[in-house]
């Protein structure tokens, strides 16, 4: 396809997107998640996970379903025969889509590519001799896992595969030369888009006689076929087994396929399990015997009732895909062009000092731009970000910002351990060390030992456009490219705080139910300070009834509309819910007392554990259906109220995770301070020093969170200057807001970065470090709507080493003397004076 043809095709895709992919329109997303983004459209760049389904597909499938009666295929009824006939027609259409002769290949419908892999493995592991397994380093985790079933296994890189093809047996001491070997590899890496020769199957098959092994090949084509034509026209050179997932091609249905070369079909004769529909006769009781179906291979492998309606939907998917995007070859040209544009655009981004913004792991998409391969690269661009000093940008922080700007991308290990290890230079000992240090799939340990533990993956599909690519490049440039680089400055003295007069407690708020609304302490009311924080703060939470996971506003913004209040007169925690759309008011109450009869008894051998911030806890779950149904109803989530009272041990106790900042270390005379990536606002880095193990209840990181109102004013000035709307203190969910009576208090903005201790009234507090922020601060606590601010402004003014900070963690320091009332029963009050670093 010429450049002019590519541009014309892109225009065609642009024109059909508005009608065919309405899910990308911002308003639908806002209504679903109660958000209010400025951007009109979302940018979907995770096609390697699944592509998007077109509206025409759903309409056509719906019409098919409402005009035909489809029964269970295992019957002689008219509806059953209708289903059987359609399924066989669709099976043929799919084989033709891959140019596979039905006399040479058979298609087995499975749940997904992984299910196809397991079906093949089920046959090989039933072989009396076992099997040897060899797999390429770029394999998806689902292929790596096959090694646990093999007699012997070996992971191969490109060089080892080439040696094998040249006649060197990679497993020379296998012991049995009649034992079959299975070699698995991807047509395209799901991690970085690398493509591998499809003729490896043919070469290995031809060399099997010289190697002494019967060798079978398993091709993972799931990533490849999403945007590229797979031609199985020559059965002599084709893989023995090919697995794929149709949702990666069409977006819907959620269905997979296993294409079997009929010459390899005898492998399944050793398969032991059989299910309904795969046998002609079964004898039980006195004899145990069965006769598998033999007329067609798929009949003996498709256990149980097929997903009839999903297969019927595949018919509509094939039709609509052709109507919208012409041929898969056109899709291939289009996505290759876009991927090259994206790759070139990211490579071109440079910081002001010439350092690259992106560290690239994917190769150029167009084969003409690669010297090492004629295969080109799939429509995947994988990379990491570095600041102008060469420091890695946190994947967690990147994803927070990408979500707010409505970019859908994938970060992390991508279920490709070999590819990640190769790209990031991670040795096995390093990966094991990371695991021992707390790394787990999906957690926030994204930089360990000075190396990233994952990557950013952008993947394109048939409905991607040049505007998607250009928007993403502009996004990276805006937030991660530092154009003006200033030299680091030396601070020779510890900050002096005698210039902070007139500080006082402006407000005190507790959040009895984690992630729900706050209860502001009335002026004149003294409030108890406990070891774990302010009394009654985050002592309750809502847990999902199925998983035990504590609910959060990040996923359930309407939790902000749940307003708990501490009523000491009645001894109740009163909970109000007001829906801003219709002003309906609902209320429920639970006793403040921890009456054991209110909670579930741990009578099971292993009660379901609750999890807060990834940490397993032992919470007390309320049994009242009235209470739990109240929360489930207002949130639309099956949940239960749980309590985590102070004074527990083991899993009934948690500890603070907040870190002291480097500048807060005692007796530190000289500091070397690195400027913030965005000039004009310096932010302290997180320190590696360990804080004392302060007890906490259900707060994320520390006993008490405070913010400086002068800092909030400075932040709001920045937001207003950019045309945004100022945010309230409530979005930061702080326990204590510190105000100033002094005019010109803007000079005190972010002075909390340098505080090491506070005296509030007659109580002393130790600062534990700056608070790292996520986009939960963008949820309006009055309406539960979500906007881009203040996280965008914080990203541009309060980001250091890729992390965003606002506010400060602290804990109470008990008095060494117990002679006074204030020491025995520490309290704070709105209006209390605040002294910084008192002597």
């Amino acid at each position: 396809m010429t450049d002019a043809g590519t541009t014309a095709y892109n225009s065609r895709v642009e024109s059909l997107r508005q009608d065919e992919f309405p899910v990308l329109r911002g308003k639908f997303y806002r209504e679903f998640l109660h958000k209010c983004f400025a951007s009109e459209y979302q940018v979907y760049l995770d096609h390697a996970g699944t592509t998007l389904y077109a509206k025409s597909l759903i309409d056509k499938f719906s019409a098919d379903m409402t005009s035909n009666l489809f029964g269970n295929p295992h019957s002689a009824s008219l509806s059953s025969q209708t289903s059987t006939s359609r399924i066989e027609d669709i099976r043929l259409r799919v084989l033709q889509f891959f140019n596979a002769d039905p006399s040479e290949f058979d298609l087995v419908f499975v749940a997904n590519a992984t299910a196809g892999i397991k079906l093949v493995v089920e046959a090989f592991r039933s072989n009396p001799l076992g099997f040897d397994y060899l797999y390429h380093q770029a394999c998806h985790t689902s292929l790596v896992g096959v090694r646990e079933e093999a007699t012997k296994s070996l992971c191969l890189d490109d060089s080892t595969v080439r040696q094998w093809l040249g006649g060197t047996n990679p497993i020379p001491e296998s012991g049995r030369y009649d034992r079959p070997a299975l070699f698995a590899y991807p047509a395209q890496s799901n991690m970085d888009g690398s493509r591998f020769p499809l003729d490896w199957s043919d070469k290995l098959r031809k060399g099997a006689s010289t190697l002494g092994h019967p060798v079978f090949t398993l091709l993972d084509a799931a990533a490849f076929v999403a945007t590229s034509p797979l031609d199985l026209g020559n059965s002599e050179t084709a893989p023995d087994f090919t697995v794929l997932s149709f949702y990666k091609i069409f977006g819907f249905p959620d269905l997979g396929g296993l294409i079997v070369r009929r010459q390899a079909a005898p492998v399944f004769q050793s398969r032991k399990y059989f299910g309904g529909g795969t046998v002609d006769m079964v004898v039980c009781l006195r004899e145990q015997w069965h006769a598998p179906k033999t007329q067609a291979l798929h009949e003996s492998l498709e256990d149980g009732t097929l997903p009839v309606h999903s297969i019927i939907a595949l018919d509509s998917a094939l039709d609509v895909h052709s109507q919208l995007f012409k041929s898969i070859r056109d899709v291939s040209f289009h996505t290759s062009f876009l991927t090259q544009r994206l790759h070139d655009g990211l490579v071109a981004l440079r910081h002001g000092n010439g350092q690259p913004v992106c560290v690239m792991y994917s190769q150029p998409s167009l084969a003409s731009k690669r010297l090492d391969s004629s295969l080109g690269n799939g429509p995947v661009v994988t990379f990491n970000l570095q600041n102008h000093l060469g420091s890695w940008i946190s994947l967690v922080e990147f994803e927070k910002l990408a979500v707010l700007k409505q970019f859908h991308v994938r970060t992390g290990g991508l279920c490709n351990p070999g590819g990640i290890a190769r790209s990031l230079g991670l040795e096995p000992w390093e990966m094991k060390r990371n695991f021992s240090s707390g790394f787990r799939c999906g957690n926030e340990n994204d930089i360990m030992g000075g190396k990233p533990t994952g990557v950013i993956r952008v993947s394109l599909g048939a409905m991607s456009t040049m505007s998607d690519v250009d928007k993403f490049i502009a996004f990276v440039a805006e937030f991660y490219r530092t154009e003006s680089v200033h030299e680091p400055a030396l601070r020779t003295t510890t900050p002096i705080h005698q210039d902070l007069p007139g500080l006082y407690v402006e407000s005190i708020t507790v959040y009895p139910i984690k992630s729900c609304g706050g209860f502001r302490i009335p002026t004149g009311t003294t409030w108890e300070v406990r070891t774990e924080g302010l009394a009654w703060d985050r002592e309750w939470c809502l847990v999902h009834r199925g998983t035990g996971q504590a609910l959060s506003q990040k996923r359930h913004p309407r939790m902000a509309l749940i307003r708990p209040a501490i009523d000491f007169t009645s001894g109740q925690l009163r909970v109000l819910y007001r829906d801003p759309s219709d002003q309906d008011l609902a209320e429920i109450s639970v006793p403040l007392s921890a009456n054991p009869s209110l909670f579930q008894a741990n009578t099971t051998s292993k009660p379901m554990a609750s999890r807060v911030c990834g940490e397993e806890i032992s919470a007390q779950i309320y049994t009242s259906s009235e209470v739990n149904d109240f929360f489930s109803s207002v949130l639309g989530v099956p949940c239960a109220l749980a309590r985590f009272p102070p004074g527990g041990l083991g899993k009934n106790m948690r500890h603070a995770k907040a870190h002291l900042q480097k500048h807060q270390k005692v007796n530190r005379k000289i500091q070397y301070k690195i400027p913030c990536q965005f000039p004009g606002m310096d932010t302290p880095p997180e320190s590696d020093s360990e804080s004392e193990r302060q007890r906490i209840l259900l707060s994320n990181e520390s006993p008490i969170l405070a913010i400086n109102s002068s800092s909030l004013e400075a932040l709001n000035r920045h937001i207003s200057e950019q045309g945004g709307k100022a945010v309230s203190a409530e979005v930061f969910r702080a326990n204590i807001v510190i105000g100033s009576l002094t005019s010109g208090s803007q000079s005190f903005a972010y002075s909390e970065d340098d505080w090491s201790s506070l005296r509030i009234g007659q109580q002393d507090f130790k600062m534990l470090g700056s608070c790292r922020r996520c986009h939960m601060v963008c949820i309006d606590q009055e309406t539960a709507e979500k906007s881009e601010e203040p996280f965008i402004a914080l990203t541009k003014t309060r980001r250091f080493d890729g992390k965003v900070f606002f506010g400060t963690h602290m804990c109470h320091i008990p008095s060494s003397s117990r002679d006074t009332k204030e020491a025995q029963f520490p309290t704070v009050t709105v209006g209390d004076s605040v002294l910084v670093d008192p002597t």
Side-chain angles (χ1 to χ4, degrees):
M1 188 181 291
T2 64
D3 289 346
T6 301
T7 303
Y9 189 89
N10 182 79
S11 299
R12 169 190 170 90
V13 176
E14 288 275 16
S15 65
L16 64 82
R17 287 210 331 183
Q18 183 167 350
D19 293 331
E20 290 294 345
F21 299 95
V23 291
L24 292 177
R25 297 178 195 167
K27 65 178 183 179
F28 290 99
Y29 197 57
R30 288 198 297 268
E31 290 170 2
F32 181 70
L33 292 180
H34 305 277
K35 296 186 178 182
C36 186
F37 292 115
S39 176
E40 183 182 357
Y41 286 97
Q42 302 170 76
V43 181
Y44 187 82
L45 298 170
D46 190 23
H47 293 269
T50 180
T51 195
L52 300 183
Y53 49 82
K55 182 177 181 295
S56 293
L57 193 167
I58 303 303
D59 291 343
K60 186 175 180 64
F61 172 55
S62 178
D64 200 359
M65 290 296 295
T66 54
S67 59
N68 292 287
L69 180 59
F70 298 109
N72 189 310
H74 298 160
S75 179
S77 68
L78 180 60
S79 60
S80 175
Q81 292 306 302
T82 300
S83 296
T84 300
S85 177
R86 284 290 297 276
I87 288 172
E88 293 313 311
D89 289 346
I90 295 167
R91 194 187 308 273
L92 176 60
R93 284 197 69 185
V94 172
L95 288 172
Q96 291 172 339
F97 186 79
F98 298 111
N99 195 30
D101 186 341
S103 67
E104 300 288 349
F105 296 90
D106 201 355
L107 170 65
V108 182
F109 287 114
V110 290
N112 48 37
T114 298
I117 293 168
K118 292 179 70 175
L119 189 57
V120 173
V121 174
E122 192 177 339
F124 273 89
R125 74 181 177 195
S126 299
N127 189 301
L129 301 176
F131 72 104
D132 293 334
Y133 182 59
L134 302 98
Y135 62 98
H136 193 275
Q137 184 180 27
C139 280
H140 187 279
T141 300
S142 294
L143 282 173
V144 177
V146 176
R147 69 188 186 189
E148 301 303 309
E149 299 283 2
T151 305
K152 288 190 176 182
S153 64
L154 186 65
C155 180
L156 311 178
D157 57 17
D158 285 350
S159 175
T160 312
V161 173
R162 285 193 292 268
Q163 292 174 13
W164 187 13
L165 296 175
T168 301
N169 190 344
I171 310 182
E173 299 178 2
S174 60
R176 293 295 300 261
Y177 286 95
D178 53 347
R179 184 165 61 217
L182 177 64
F183 173 58
Y185 74 101
Q188 175 182 302
S189 166
N190 72 298
M191 182 257 172
D192 62 7
S194 297
R195 288 180 171 172
F196 302 93
L198 298 180
D199 63 358
W200 277 356
S201 299
D202 180 38
K203 291 180 178 179
L204 285 174
R205 192 175 297 123
K206 289 178 178 177
S209 58
T210 60
L211 297 179
H213 277 270
V215 179
F216 296 86
T217 52
L218 170 58
L219 180 71
D220 177 6
F224 181 82
V225 298
T227 58
S228 299
L230 176 65
D231 189 347
L232 299 177
N234 187 346
S235 66
E236 295 300 320
T237 62
D240 295 298
F241 315 102
T242 302
V243 294
L244 54 97
S245 295
F246 294 109
Y247 56 84
K248 293 184 185 290
I249 309 173
F250 309 116
F252 179 80
D254 297 334
L255 186 69
L258 166 64
I259 300 176
V260 181
R261 194 172 74 103
R262 291 190 183 276
Q263 294 181 52
V267 167
F268 292 99
Q269 293 177 358
S270 60
R271 178 174 177 258
K272 296 179 179 179
Y273 177 81
F274 61 89
T278 63
V279 289
D280 283 326
M281 172 67 72
V282 178
V283 175
C284 302
L285 296 178
R286 296 178 182 176
E287 293 187 27
Q288 296 189 21
W289 173 86
H290 72 281
K293 287 188 175 181
T294 58
Q295 183 174 351
L297 177 64
H298 64 261
E299 287 185 337
S300 65
L301 298 179
E302 291 173 342
D303 297 306
T305 301
L306 284 169
V308 178
H309 303 132
S310 293
I311 298 173
I312 297 299
L314 190 54
D315 208 12
S316 298
L318 286 160
D319 287 340
V320 171
H321 191 272
S322 176
Q323 293 166 10
L324 296 181
F325 305 113
K326 299 184 179 179
S327 71
I328 194 70
R329 190 169 298 277
D330 290 317
V331 172
S332 179
F333 283 125
H334 175 60
T335 53
S336 293
F337 168 78
L338 294 181
T339 307
Q340 189 63 53
R341 184 185 185 97
L342 175 60
H343 187 277
D344 291 348
L346 294 177
V347 169
L349 293 179
R350 299 277 166 171
H351 293 293
N353 59 1
Q355 293 297 310
V357 175
C358 303
V359 176
M360 309 298 295
Y361 305 119
S362 294
Q363 296 296 317
S365 174
L366 301 179
S368 60
K369 296 204 173 189
R370 293 188 60 175
L371 299 177
D372 60 334
S373 173
S374 61
L375 299 174
N377 211 73
V380 176
V381 176
T382 303
F383 63 100
N384 267 313
L385 295 166
Q386 288 184 320
N387 68 12
H388 62 286
L389 299 174
S391 177
W392 297 106
I393 300 297
S394 163
L395 296 179
V396 173
E397 297 299 327
F398 168 83
E399 196 150 29
K400 291 175 187 176
L401 193 53
V403 167
L404 280 182
K405 300 303 287 186
Q406 300 196 79
F407 289 98
H408 298 255
V409 297
R410 176 85 179 267
T411 64
L414 311 180
C415 293
N416 197 306
I420 286 291
R422 177 184 57 79
S423 295
L424 302 181
L426 292 171
E427 296 295 333
W429 68 267
E430 290 178 291
M431 300 179 77
K432 290 182 178 179
R433 179 199 61 190
N434 290 348
F435 183 83
S436 298
S437 299
F439 174 82
R440 298 293 185 274
C441 179
N443 69 11
E444 296 191 358
N445 292 319
D446 51 16
I447 301 172
M448 304 184 76
K451 294 181 180 180
T453 59
V455 296
I456 301 166
R457 184 186 71 187
V458 177
S459 51
L460 304 170
M463 47 74 61
S464 299
T465 63
M466 284 191 282
S467 64
D468 294 337
V469 169
D470 295 344
K471 286 177 182 177
F472 184 76
I473 295 171
F475 162 70
V476 174
E478 178 182 0
F479 291 99
Y480 297 100
R481 179 174 59 184
T482 304
E483 297 188 25
S484 300
V485 178
H486 298 269
E487 291 299 320
L490 280 174
R491 282 173 48 176
T492 56
T493 59
T494 302
I496 300 175
H497 301 297
Q498 278 77 12
D499 57 346
L500 296 176
L503 298 184
Y504 71 103
V505 174
E506 185 176 300
S507 66
I508 300 175
T509 305
V510 294
Y511 301 85
I513 304 177
K514 179 179 178 63
S515 256
C516 291
F519 173 61
R520 180 169 287 199
I521 309 306
T523 302
T525 301
T526 58
W527 202 260
E528 181 184 1
V529 181
R530 297 174 177 171
T531 301
E532 297 88 354
L534 299 185
W536 309 105
D537 184 53
R538 296 168 171 95
E539 189 167 325
W540 287 265
C541 66
L542 298 174
V543 297
H544 191 278
R545 291 187 185 181
T547 65
Q549 181 72 38
L551 303 188
S552 165
Q553 268 192 44
K554 283 189 285 188
R555 289 195 175 183
H556 308 286
R558 294 179 73 83
M559 292 179 74
L561 306 178
I562 297 174
R563 311 287 169 76
I566 306 293
D567 187 342
F568 291 117
T569 302
S570 63
Q572 299 282 316
L573 174 69
R574 295 173 49 245
V575 183
L576 301 176
Y577 172 80
R578 184 183 298 276
D579 188 334
S581 62
D582 56 19
Q583 296 301 307
D584 279 351
L585 185 67
E587 181 175 349
I588 197 79
S589 296
V590 296
L592 292 175
S593 61
N595 187 339
S597 65
L598 300 174
F599 307 109
Q600 292 179 359
N602 291 334
T603 56
T604 60
S605 59
K606 188 176 181 181
M608 178 184 293
S610 301
R611 300 192 73 85
V612 173
C613 302
E615 184 178 349
E616 186 174 320
I617 65 169
S618 180
Q620 300 173 346
I621 310 295
Y622 282 78
T623 59
S624 169
S625 58
E626 179 186 6
V627 170
N628 295 332
D629 290 348
F630 168 83
F631 292 107
S632 299
S633 175
V634 299
L635 294 179
V637 178
C639 60
L641 183 66
R643 192 168 187 176
F644 193 72
L649 297 172
K651 292 182 180 179
N652 294 309
M653 175 180 63
R654 299 178 65 232
H655 290 99
K657 303 178 183 67
H659 294 280
L660 285 169
Q661 308 306 320
K662 293 178 181 178
H663 71 295
Q664 294 176 309
K665 290 183 177 179
V666 178
N667 296 327
R668 186 163 190 172
K669 301 298 183 182
I670 299 178
Q671 292 186 2
Y672 185 74
K673 187 169 182 180
I674 302 175
C676 174
Q677 178 170 349
F678 292 88
M681 196 63 65
D682 291 340
T683 311
E686 288 185 311
S687 167
D688 291 330
S689 63
E690 294 291 334
S691 61
E692 295 178 14
R693 290 178 62 79
Q694 302 290 335
R695 288 190 174 207
I696 58 174
L697 295 183
L698 298 175
S699 60
N700 285 5
E701 295 187 273
S702 69
I704 300 171
L705 178 62
I707 64 170
N708 178 357
S709 63
S710 297
S711 303
L712 178 60
E713 292 171 9
L715 179 65
N716 278 328
R717 278 195 301 274
H718 176 87
I719 294 174
S720 299
E721 289 168 0
Q722 302 302 313
K725 180 183 176 182
V727 299
S728 67
E730 283 72 22
V731 301
F732 296 103
R733 300 178 62 79
N735 298 115
I736 296 176
V737 177
I738 298 173
S740 174
L741 297 172
T742 306
S743 60
S745 60
Q746 61 266 25
S747 61
F748 306 152
Y750 305 115
S751 59
E752 65 270 23
D753 290 344
D754 297 328
W755 301 348
S756 59
S757 64
L758 294 180
R759 178 168 296 156
I760 300 178
Q762 299 185 54
Q763 303 301 324
D764 291 322
F765 296 84
K766 176 183 178 181
M767 316 314 291
L768 300 179
S770 294
C771 179
R772 186 177 175 184
R773 292 297 182 173
C774 68
H775 49 74
M776 186 169 153
V777 298
C778 297
I779 299 172
D780 188 309
Q781 297 298 295
E782 292 298 320
T783 65
E785 291 184 343
K786 192 169 186 179
S787 64
E788 293 182 350
E789 297 293 3
F791 194 80
I792 297 300
L794 288 172
T795 299
K796 294 186 175 182
T797 61
R798 296 286 295 170
R799 187 170 70 191
F800 191 91
D801 285 344
K803 300 168 186 173
V804 173
F805 297 95
F806 190 86
T808 183
H809 295 291
M810 63 184 194
C811 65
H812 180 244
I813 303 174
S815 173
S816 58
S817 171
R818 306 292 290 178
D819 297 337
T820 65
K821 175 183 177 182
E822 290 76 14
Q824 292 178 345
F825 189 74
T827 61
V828 291
T829 308
V830 173
D832 276 349
S833 63
V834 177
L835 297 178
V836 176
D837 295 343
T839 55

